[in-house]
Amino acid sequence: MGLEEEIEAIEDEIASTPYNKSTEAHIGRLKAKLAEKKEKLENQSSAGGGTGYAVEKHGDATIALVGFPSVGKSTLINALTNAESETGEYEFTTLDVNPGMLKHNGANIQVLDVPGLIEGAAGGRGGGKEVLSVVRTADLAVFMLSVFEIEKYERLKEELYLNKIRLDTEPPSLHITKKHKGGINVNKTDTVDLDEQTIKDVLNEYGYVNAEATIRGNPSIDEIIDSLMDNRVYIPSIVVANKADLIDHDYLPTVHENLREYGLDPDEVTFISAEKEKGLDALKERIWDSLGLVRVYMDKPGRGVDYDEPLVLFEGDTIGDACEKLGKDLEERFRFARVSGPSAKHDDQQVGKEHVLADEDVLRVITRR
Ligand SMILES: Nc1nc2c(ncn2[C@@H]2O[C@H](COP(=O)(O)OP(=O)(O)OP(=O)(O)O)[C@@H](O)[C@H]2O)c(=O)[nH]1
């Protein structure tokens, strides 16, 4: 049997096995096998051909527009980036301002168009694989739908899933330590529904013989396999409904109904008209919030606080991360820092590299000469 037939056979078996407690471990093993075989097939078919092109990242963050042809991606990019893409002097980053750069709250957000995503993209047809590799490198996926074709959402999401992109979720909390003997020992919290045997069997499929595994939360078999495969990316996503200018008020409830049918909350979807440039401010705010960006105003010796060109970081970034972004030299010469603002206990708090910064902090770095 060739790999493809083996995959098909396993898929058939999974589909025809009812899922219950007595079959769970068996299904777990099958799913683990399936994931491995698919990976093998993919490596075979991409051997020599290379997988996708890497887009050079510029700016403070990167977002990828994901949508079918003609949904209005190019129109949106033009509308979002035109006025703001003037060439400026950027103090903290060296970047070529390209047409896909959105400037918002002092941040430079690279907007990548993912052109012509078509059915079967994850399977490699029509260059879709290269296209999807762009999404893998992004900090946020922006699904772009037409108000008339909400159903495309499902298809787009599936393509991303097949390309190992996991949306709006975190990797499961699974920690494994290899041991020399004693078999597999599973420590799980009460919240975990999966049987111990299922977890053991899945780990076994991945070559673990003696190990201590600790699981928290309530992951599914698929989520556990994801974390064992090690090549899944986890990114947040938002949904934009374009061409809202073409619908009457009467038709809006129908659109809302369609959104709900595909598991989307209408209040969480940003309605825009890329062509009429409506709803774009709300969209920019949404992008900003979803990226979790943080502005840090640098207090520079002799020059005061620069409120115009903040240093832009991600939530959770530390002063060490800030120094890295500001320049390597600074990291080496770092003595301590002074922070005022939301993350500080008091103005000019003296802190070290581990201090986590917050939006709108003011930061002064004190260096060695
Ligand atoms: N009425 C209306 N038309 C729009 C809107 N946005 C885009 N269009 C039109 O839809 C068509 C497709 O827009 P594009 O921006 O080229 O779409 P695209 O997603 O970039 O398409 P591809 O380049 O094929 O991937 C054009 O004729 C646009 O003028 C909108 O908000 N309202």
Side-chain angles (χ1 to χ4, degrees):
M1 223 186 329
L3 254 183
E4 278 167 35
E5 287 85 29
E6 282 181 49
I7 287 172
E8 218 168 287
I10 300 173
E11 280 175 338
D12 286 349
E13 191 173 347
I14 292 174
S16 61
T17 309
Y19 188 100
N20 56 47
K21 274 285 158 207
S22 64
T23 59
E24 188 188 271
H26 179 57
I27 289 179
R29 275 195 305 274
L30 289 173
K31 285 189 163 183
K33 265 204 188 94
L34 182 66
E36 277 176 312
K37 298 222 183 278
K38 279 190 170 172
E39 193 80 358
K40 212 164 152 190
L41 181 70
E42 206 167 280
N43 290 341
Q44 273 180 10
S45 54
S46 65
T51 44
Y53 58 94
V55 176
E56 207 175 318
K57 281 190 155 196
H58 286 288
D60 300 303
T62 300
I63 64 173
L65 292 185
V66 183
F68 274 82
S70 297
V71 75
K73 297 184 297 301
S74 317
T75 312
L76 179 64
I77 290 199
N78 288 335
L80 281 180
T81 61
N82 259 3
E84 288 105 340
S85 67
E86 82 277 354
T87 321
E89 254 194 65
Y90 296 97
E91 191 99 20
F92 306 117
T93 49
T94 47
L95 53 93
D96 307 317
V97 179
N98 64 35
M101 200 62 81
L102 157 68
K103 193 142 201 234
H104 186 64
N105 286 349
N108 295 295
I109 300 168
Q110 185 180 32
V111 187
L112 299 176
D113 184 359
V114 179
L117 190 73
I118 50 153
E119 281 194 32
R125 259 178 284 158
K129 220 167 163 58
E130 287 75 15
V131 161
L132 287 168
S133 73
V134 172
V135 187
R136 283 176 68 87
T137 66
D139 301 299
L140 174 72
V142 178
F143 286 101
M144 201 164 167
L145 308 172
S146 150
V147 282
F148 303 110
E149 293 178 320
I150 301 299
E151 73 283 357
K152 294 263 165 80
Y153 177 61
E154 203 154 68
R155 184 76 230 176
L156 293 169
K157 244 177 58 168
E158 196 180 319
E159 291 295 345
L160 265 50
Y161 189 88
L162 291 171
N163 205 49
K164 307 174 191 75
I165 298 166
R166 300 294 174 260
L167 299 167
D168 308 308
T169 177
E170 299 281 324
S173 170
L174 167 62
H175 296 281
I176 306 170
T177 324
K178 280 192 179 174
K179 293 184 305 187
H180 292 297
K181 53 180 184 182
I184 296 174
N185 188 34
V186 177
N187 308 299
K188 60 181 188 112
T189 53
D190 293 343
T191 52
V192 179
D193 284 335
L194 288 177
D195 272 349
E196 209 174 300
Q197 194 55 47
T198 306
I199 297 162
K200 279 186 184 172
D201 284 0
V202 170
L203 289 178
N204 221 258
E205 280 299 328
Y206 282 90
Y208 290 99
V209 181
N210 300 303
E212 189 80 22
T214 308
I215 301 192
R216 294 196 182 86
N218 189 14
S220 64
I221 294 173
D222 294 313
E223 285 168 332
I224 288 184
I225 291 172
D226 274 345
S227 75
L228 293 168
M229 295 298 286
D230 222 26
N231 59 1
R232 276 42 172 167
V233 296
Y234 294 82
I235 54 176
S237 74
I238 60 170
V239 178
V240 173
N242 189 34
K243 308 198 182 182
D245 57 298
L246 295 178
I247 53 168
D248 288 336
H249 210 69
D250 299 353
Y251 188 70
L252 202 57
T254 312
V255 179
H256 284 194
E257 209 175 291
N258 292 342
L259 287 168
R260 276 189 218 100
E261 195 179 321
Y262 290 95
L264 291 164
D265 177 352
D267 291 337
E268 301 273 304
V269 172
T270 310
F271 284 76
I272 63 161
S273 167
E275 196 162 88
K276 302 273 188 291
E277 306 202 356
K278 292 270 162 56
L280 301 189
D281 286 341
L283 176 58
K284 287 180 201 174
E285 274 308 306
R286 189 79 202 289
I287 289 171
W288 175 269
D289 289 344
S290 309
L291 281 169
L293 296 178
V294 162
R295 286 160 286 184
V296 176
Y297 305 118
M298 296 305 296
D299 184 356
K300 294 171 214 161
R303 276 185 290 171
V305 181
D306 180 354
Y307 288 102
D308 296 327
E309 292 287 343
L311 174 70
V312 179
L313 302 168
F314 287 97
E315 269 166 22
D317 278 355
T318 61
I319 292 189
D321 297 317
C323 289
E324 198 178 318
K325 193 160 180 184
L326 288 165
K328 208 169 169 213
D329 186 29
L330 196 71
E331 240 192 323
E332 284 160 15
R333 292 187 300 131
F334 181 89
R335 278 176 60 215
F336 61 90
R338 291 205 180 272
V339 182
S340 304
S343 80
K345 288 200 186 99
H346 52 79
D347 275 359
D348 285 326
Q349 186 190 349
Q350 181 173 330
V351 291
K353 272 189 188 172
E354 285 69 42
H355 181 84
V356 176
L357 291 157
D359 193 29
E360 305 217 73
D361 272 346
V362 173
L363 170 66
R364 186 146 47 98
V365 177
I366 289 87
T367 56
R368 278 184 206 94
R369 295 208 158 266

